[in-house]
Amino acid sequence: MTFKFYLRDASAKTETPIMLFVRAGKSEKGHRTTIKVPTGLKILPKNWNPKTHSPRRISDESLINKRLNDIASVANKTWTTLVSEQVEISLTTFQTILKENLKDLIIPGTIQKVNSGLFDDMNKFIDILHSDHSTSTIAKYKNFRRHLMEFSDKLTYKDINLSFYDAIKMHWLENTNENENLSNTTINKNIKLLKTFMQWASDRNMTANDEFKRFKTNATA
């Protein structure tokens, strides 16, 4: 059994879906030897390396690779489990089981965008908070978002690293604006809010960047 990724249309001029091809041995009359499973991801063919069956080095490469690796891991684990249980199963049935096991990674009927903006995702995050958080908590996140955008409204997930961590703390301490230089306590709380948002985004495969886990906060602040 082999698992490899291919493009649905390698000659497309626009983004095309990435498909998981599952192949099982040589062809036998009346039996399928290949199934194709949607990954929920798409990419420009020029950004795809057909030799390695993976993205070329582009801005979203690490995130796409992480999602593809997760999908391949689930596919391999699903097959291994069935084999260990000595279940005789057709590829068609395996395809059905695999799609069920992948439902948390793939939204059926949609092509997920992997390059959505950090602030777009943050807006979604804050909208979701409305369902089970207090008005004061929502206000804190909105203030945090404003402070972050005052530093830079062009931030991407890739920018969130230790250099950013040092720069944003200095900015908030000295240069926020003429009337609102932030206290160390507020800065510390903002870093905590950033880490919470980044963990939320990471858990949902919106980013593969985990540099935020190295950001230090004062637990007593």
Side-chain angles (χ1 to χ4, degrees):
M1 181 69 64
T2 61
F3 306 97
K4 289 185 179 180
F5 296 100
Y6 294 87
L7 301 185
R8 177 179 291 173
D9 183 1
S11 61
K13 301 301 182 183
T14 57
E15 290 184 333
T16 188
I18 303 173
M19 307 292 292
L20 172 64
F21 279 53
V22 182
R23 292 193 172 99
K26 296 181 179 180
S27 176
E28 295 181 15
K29 188 174 181 180
H31 294 278
R32 295 180 65 184
T33 59
T34 302
I35 57 174
K36 303 173 185 178
V37 181
T39 65
L41 301 169
K42 61 182 179 179
I43 194 172
L44 286 169
K46 68 178 183 179
N47 292 332
W48 182 259
N49 187 334
K51 294 182 179 180
T52 62
H53 306 281
S54 63
R56 299 183 189 278
R57 291 191 176 279
I58 55 175
S59 59
D60 292 316
E61 173 206 10
S62 60
L63 179 55
I64 297 175
N65 272 331
K66 182 180 185 302
R67 189 81 62 83
L68 294 179
N69 287 337
D70 288 344
I71 291 170
S73 177
V74 170
N76 186 64
K77 184 177 180 179
T78 300
W79 182 257
T80 301
T81 299
L82 292 172
V83 170
S84 67
E85 294 174 350
Q86 298 182 336
V87 175
E88 291 188 12
I89 190 168
S90 68
L91 273 183
T92 301
T93 304
F94 173 67
Q95 184 178 33
T96 301
I97 295 173
L98 179 57
K99 285 183 176 180
E100 176 65 20
N101 290 347
L102 288 172
K103 66 182 181 181
D104 290 335
L105 285 174
I106 299 172
I107 303 174
T110 67
I111 299 298
Q112 299 172 49
K113 295 181 67 176
V114 298
N115 59 345
S116 57
L118 181 148
F119 286 111
D120 288 339
D121 291 341
M122 189 173 292
N123 290 338
K124 295 175 187 176
F125 172 68
I126 293 174
D127 286 342
I128 291 171
L129 291 180
H130 279 84
S131 64
D132 57 2
H133 286 74
S134 66
T135 301
S136 61
T137 298
I138 304 302
K140 289 178 183 179
Y141 274 100
K142 287 183 176 179
N143 281 332
F144 157 68
R145 178 181 59 191
R146 175 172 61 84
H147 292 150
L148 198 62
M149 293 187 76
E150 286 174 354
F151 173 74
S152 173
D153 61 1
K154 305 296 184 183
L155 281 176
T156 67
Y157 285 116
K158 188 177 180 180
D159 295 325
I160 309 302
N161 53 33
L162 286 175
S163 294
F164 159 82
Y165 170 71
D166 292 336
I168 192 69
K169 288 197 301 178
M170 186 63 67
H171 171 80
W172 281 338
L173 187 62
E174 298 181 352
N175 306 299
T176 302
N177 60 50
E178 185 176 346
N179 300 313
E180 193 184 9
N181 291 344
L182 303 186
S183 68
N184 282 323
T185 298
T186 301
I187 291 171
N188 186 66
K189 289 179 179 178
N190 275 348
I191 295 298
K192 288 181 179 179
L193 295 177
L194 174 61
K195 293 181 70 172
T196 299
F197 162 71
M198 288 295 294
Q199 186 63 62
W200 175 87
S202 178
D203 289 343
R204 287 154 182 78
N205 292 317
M206 294 173 173
T207 179
N209 181 1
D210 63 357
E211 283 289 294
F212 69 92
K213 293 180 180 180
R214 301 170 67 187
F215 297 176
K216 294 181 179 180
T217 58
N218 182 353
T220 62

